[in-house]
Coordinates of all heavy atoms in Angstrom, one line a residue:
S904 N 15.0 -0.1 11.7 CA 15.0 1.3 11.5 C 13.9 2.0 12.3 O 14.0 3.1 12.8 CB 14.9 1.7 10.0 OG 13.7 1.2 9.4
I905 N 12.7 1.3 12.3 CA 11.6 1.9 13.1 C 11.9 1.8 14.6 O 11.6 2.8 15.3 CB 10.3 1.2 12.7 CG1 9.8 1.5 11.3 CG2 9.2 1.5 13.7 CD1 9.5 3.0 11.1
K906 N 12.4 0.7 15.0 CA 12.8 0.6 16.4 C 13.8 1.6 16.8 O 13.6 2.3 17.9 CB 13.4 -0.8 16.7 CG 12.4 -2.0 16.6 CD 13.1 -3.3 16.8 CE 12.1 -4.5 16.7 NZ 12.8 -5.8 16.9
K907 N 14.7 1.9 16.0 CA 15.7 2.9 16.3 C 15.1 4.3 16.3 O 15.5 5.1 17.2 CB 16.8 2.9 15.2 CG 18.0 3.8 15.4 CD 19.0 3.7 14.3 CE 20.2 4.7 14.5 NZ 21.2 4.5 13.5
L908 N 14.2 4.6 15.4 CA 13.5 5.9 15.4 C 12.7 6.1 16.7 O 12.7 7.2 17.2 CB 12.6 6.0 14.2 CG 11.9 7.3 14.0 CD1 12.8 8.5 13.9 CD2 11.0 7.2 12.7
I909 N 12.0 5.0 17.1 CA 11.2 5.1 18.3 C 12.1 5.5 19.5 O 11.7 6.4 20.3 CB 10.4 3.8 18.6 CG1 9.3 3.6 17.5 CG2 9.8 3.8 20.0 CD1 8.7 2.2 17.6
R910 N 13.2 4.9 19.6 CA 14.1 5.2 20.7 C 14.7 6.6 20.6 O 14.8 7.3 21.6 CB 15.3 4.2 20.7 CG 14.9 2.8 21.1 CD 16.1 1.9 21.4 NE 17.0 1.7 20.2 CZ 16.8 0.7 19.4 NH1 15.9 -0.2 19.6 NH2 17.6 0.6 18.3
S911 N 15.1 7.0 19.4 CA 15.7 8.3 19.2 C 14.7 9.4 19.5 O 15.1 10.5 20.0 CB 16.2 8.5 17.8 OG 15.2 8.5 16.8
L912 N 13.4 9.2 19.3 CA 12.4 10.2 19.5 C 11.9 10.2 21.0 O 11.1 11.0 21.4 CB 11.2 10.0 18.6 CG 11.4 10.2 17.1 CD1 10.2 9.8 16.3 CD2 11.8 11.6 16.8
N913 N 12.3 9.2 21.7 CA 12.0 9.0 23.1 C 10.5 8.9 23.3 O 9.9 9.6 24.2 CB 12.5 10.2 23.9 CG 12.5 10.0 25.4 OD1 12.6 8.9 25.9 ND2 12.4 11.1 26.2
I914 N 9.8 8.1 22.5 CA 8.4 7.8 22.6 C 8.1 6.4 22.9 O 7.0 5.9 22.7 CB 7.7 8.3 21.4 CG1 8.2 7.6 20.1 CG2 7.7 9.8 21.2 CD1 7.5 7.9 18.8
E915 N 9.0 5.7 23.5 CA 8.8 4.2 23.8 C 7.5 4.0 24.7 O 6.8 3.0 24.5 CB 10.0 3.6 24.5 CG 11.3 3.6 23.7 CD 12.2 4.7 24.0 OE1 11.7 5.8 24.3 OE2 13.4 4.5 24.1
D916 N 7.3 4.9 25.6 CA 6.1 4.7 26.5 C 4.8 4.9 25.8 O 3.7 4.5 26.4 CB 6.2 5.8 27.6 CG 7.3 5.6 28.6 OD1 7.9 4.5 28.5 OD2 7.7 6.5 29.3
H917 N 4.8 5.3 24.5 CA 3.6 5.5 23.8 C 3.3 4.4 22.7 O 2.3 4.4 22.0 CB 3.5 6.9 23.1 CG 3.6 8.0 24.0 ND1 2.5 8.7 24.5 CD2 4.7 8.6 24.6 CE1 2.8 9.6 25.3 NE2 4.1 9.7 25.4
I918 N 4.3 3.5 22.6 CA 4.3 2.5 21.6 C 4.1 1.1 22.2 O 4.9 0.8 23.1 CB 5.5 2.5 20.7 CG1 5.8 4.0 20.2 CG2 5.4 1.6 19.5 CD1 4.8 4.6 19.3
T919 N 3.2 0.3 21.7 CA 3.1 -1.1 22.1 C 3.2 -2.0 20.8 O 2.4 -1.8 19.9 CB 1.8 -1.4 22.8 OG1 1.7 -0.6 23.9 CG2 1.8 -2.9 23.2
S920 N 4.3 -2.8 20.7 CA 4.4 -3.7 19.6 C 3.9 -5.1 20.0 O 4.5 -5.7 20.9 CB 5.9 -3.7 19.2 OG 6.1 -4.6 18.1
H921 N 3.0 -5.5 19.3 CA 2.3 -6.8 19.6 C 2.9 -8.0 18.7 O 2.5 -9.1 18.9 CB 0.8 -6.7 19.3 CG 0.1 -5.7 20.2 ND1 -0.4 -6.0 21.4 CD2 -0.1 -4.4 20.0 CE1 -0.9 -4.9 21.9 NE2 -0.8 -3.9 21.1
G922 N 3.8 -7.6 17.8 CA 4.3 -8.6 16.8 C 3.2 -9.1 15.9 O 2.1 -8.5 15.8
Y923 N 3.5 -10.1 15.1 CA 2.6 -10.6 14.1 C 1.4 -11.3 14.9 O 1.6 -12.2 15.6 CB 3.2 -11.5 13.1 CG 2.3 -12.0 12.0 CD1 1.9 -11.1 11.0 CD2 1.8 -13.3 12.1 CE1 1.1 -11.5 10.0 CE2 0.9 -13.7 11.0 CZ 0.6 -12.8 10.0 OH -0.3 -13.2 9.0
I924 N 0.2 -10.8 14.7 CA -0.9 -11.3 15.4 C -2.1 -11.4 14.5 O -2.4 -10.6 13.7 CB -1.2 -10.3 16.6 CG1 -2.4 -10.9 17.5 CG2 -1.5 -8.9 16.2 CD1 -2.5 -10.1 18.8
T925 N -2.9 -12.5 14.7 CA -4.1 -12.7 13.9 C -5.2 -13.1 14.9 O -5.1 -13.2 16.1 CB -3.9 -13.8 12.9 OG1 -3.5 -15.0 13.5 CG2 -2.8 -13.4 11.9
G926 N -6.4 -13.4 14.3 CA -7.5 -14.0 15.0 C -8.1 -13.1 16.1 O -8.1 -11.9 15.9
E927 N -8.5 -13.7 17.2 CA -9.2 -12.9 18.2 C -8.3 -11.8 18.8 O -8.8 -10.8 19.2 CB -9.7 -13.9 19.3 CG -10.8 -14.8 18.8 CD -11.3 -15.7 19.9 OE1 -10.8 -15.6 21.1 OE2 -12.2 -16.6 19.7
G928 N -7.0 -12.1 18.9 CA -6.1 -11.1 19.5 C -6.1 -9.8 18.7 O -6.2 -8.7 19.2
L929 N -6.1 -10.0 17.3 CA -6.2 -8.8 16.5 C -7.6 -8.2 16.5 O -7.7 -6.9 16.5 CB -5.9 -9.3 15.0 CG -5.8 -8.1 14.0 CD1 -4.8 -7.1 14.3 CD2 -5.5 -8.7 12.6
D930 N -8.6 -8.9 16.6 CA -10.0 -8.4 16.7 C -10.1 -7.5 18.0 O -10.7 -6.4 17.9 CB -11.0 -9.5 16.9 CG -11.0 -10.4 15.6 OD1 -10.6 -10.0 14.6 OD2 -11.6 -11.5 15.8
V931 N -9.5 -7.9 19.1 CA -9.5 -7.1 20.3 C -8.8 -5.7 20.1 O -9.3 -4.7 20.5 CB -8.8 -7.8 21.5 CG1 -8.6 -6.9 22.7 CG2 -9.7 -9.0 21.9
L932 N -7.7 -5.7 19.4 CA -6.9 -4.5 19.1 C -7.8 -3.5 18.3 O -7.8 -2.3 18.5 CB -5.6 -4.8 18.4 CG -4.5 -5.5 19.2 CD1 -3.3 -5.7 18.3 CD2 -4.2 -4.7 20.4
F933 N -8.5 -4.1 17.3 CA -9.4 -3.2 16.5 C -10.5 -2.6 17.3 O -10.9 -1.4 17.2 CB -10.0 -4.0 15.3 CG -9.2 -4.0 14.1 CD1 -8.4 -5.1 13.7 CD2 -9.1 -2.9 13.3 CE1 -7.6 -5.1 12.6 CE2 -8.3 -2.9 12.1 CZ -7.6 -4.0 11.8
D934 N -11.1 -3.4 18.2 CA -12.2 -2.9 19.1 C -11.7 -1.8 20.0 O -12.5 -0.9 20.4 CB -12.8 -4.1 19.9 CG -13.6 -5.1 19.0 OD1 -13.9 -4.7 17.9 OD2 -13.8 -6.2 19.5
L935 N -10.4 -1.9 20.4 CA -9.9 -0.9 21.4 C -9.4 0.4 20.7 O -9.2 1.4 21.3 CB -8.8 -1.5 22.2 CG -9.2 -2.6 23.2 CD1 -7.9 -3.2 23.8 CD2 -10.1 -2.1 24.2
A936 N -9.2 0.3 19.3 CA -8.6 1.4 18.6 C -9.7 2.5 18.2 O -10.8 2.2 18.0 CB -7.9 0.9 17.4
D937 N -9.2 3.7 18.0 CA -10.0 4.8 17.5 C -9.8 5.0 16.0 O -10.8 5.3 15.3 CB -9.7 6.1 18.2 CG -9.9 6.0 19.7 OD1 -11.1 5.8 20.1 OD2 -9.0 6.1 20.5
V938 N -8.5 5.0 15.6 CA -8.2 5.3 14.2 C -7.1 4.3 13.8 O -6.2 4.0 14.6 CB -7.6 6.7 14.1 CG1 -7.2 7.0 12.6 CG2 -8.7 7.7 14.5
A939 N -7.2 3.8 12.5 CA -6.2 2.9 12.0 C -5.2 3.7 11.1 O -5.6 4.7 10.5 CB -6.8 1.8 11.2
I940 N -4.0 3.1 11.0 CA -3.0 3.8 10.1 C -2.8 3.0 8.8 O -2.5 1.8 8.8 CB -1.6 3.8 10.8 CG1 -1.7 4.4 12.2 CG2 -0.6 4.5 10.0 CD1 -2.1 5.8 12.2
G941 N -3.1 3.7 7.7 CA -2.9 3.1 6.4 C -1.5 3.4 5.9 O -0.6 3.8 6.6
T942 N -1.3 3.3 4.6 CA -0.1 3.6 3.9 C 0.2 5.1 3.8 O -0.7 5.8 3.2 CB 0.0 2.9 2.6 OG1 -0.2 1.5 2.8 CG2 1.4 3.1 1.9
L943 N 1.3 5.5 4.3 CA 1.6 7.0 4.3 C 2.9 7.3 3.6 O 3.4 8.4 3.6 CB 1.7 7.4 5.8 CG 0.4 7.3 6.6 CD1 0.7 7.6 8.1 CD2 -0.6 8.2 6.1
G944 N 3.5 6.3 2.8 CA 4.7 6.6 2.1 C 4.7 6.1 0.7 O 5.8 5.8 0.1
I945 N 3.5 6.0 0.1 CA 3.4 5.4 -1.2 C 4.1 6.3 -2.3 O 4.6 5.8 -3.3 CB 2.0 5.1 -1.6 CG1 1.9 3.9 -2.6 CG2 1.3 6.3 -2.1 CD1 0.5 3.3 -2.7
H946 N 4.2 7.6 -2.0 CA 5.0 8.5 -2.9 C 6.4 8.1 -3.0 O 7.1 8.5 -4.0 CB 4.8 9.9 -2.4 CG 5.4 10.2 -1.0 ND1 4.7 9.8 0.2 CD2 6.5 10.6 -0.6 CE1 5.4 10.1 1.2 NE2 6.5 10.6 0.8
R947 N 6.9 7.4 -2.0 CA 8.3 6.9 -2.1 C 8.6 5.9 -3.2 O 9.7 5.7 -3.5 CB 8.8 6.4 -0.7 CG 8.7 7.4 0.4 CD 8.9 6.9 1.8 NE 8.8 7.9 2.8 CZ 8.8 7.7 4.1 NH1 8.8 6.5 4.6 NH2 8.7 8.7 5.0
K948 N 7.5 5.3 -3.6 CA 7.6 4.4 -4.8 C 7.2 5.1 -6.1 O 6.9 4.4 -7.1 CB 6.6 3.2 -4.5 CG 7.0 2.4 -3.3 CD 5.9 1.4 -2.9 CE 5.8 0.3 -3.9 NZ 4.8 -0.8 -3.4

């Protein structure tokens, strides 16, 4: 559903999906990021 939404919004050029990643690869992503995304739909539960 998220993949479909990305396509429908035409924002593929702004999204990079790295798949499930741990270790040093994940550390690099954190170092390059400015802001992290937490849970934004907990009201749905």
Side-chain angles (χ1 to χ4, degrees):
S904 61
I905 290 295
K906 291 178 181 178
K907 183 178 179 181
L908 181 60
I909 292 171
R910 290 193 297 269
S911 68
L912 294 174
N913 196 28
I914 55 174
E915 295 99 322
D916 292 344
H917 298 266
I918 312 295
T919 303
S920 178
H921 300 269
Y923 184 74
I924 183 172
T925 60
E927 293 182 1
L929 183 58
D930 299 340
V931 169
L932 291 181
F933 272 104
D934 289 341
L935 293 175
D937 300 295
V938 177
I940 307 298
T942 300
L943 298 171
I945 207 165
H946 60 279
R947 296 169 181 171
K948 298 169 72 173

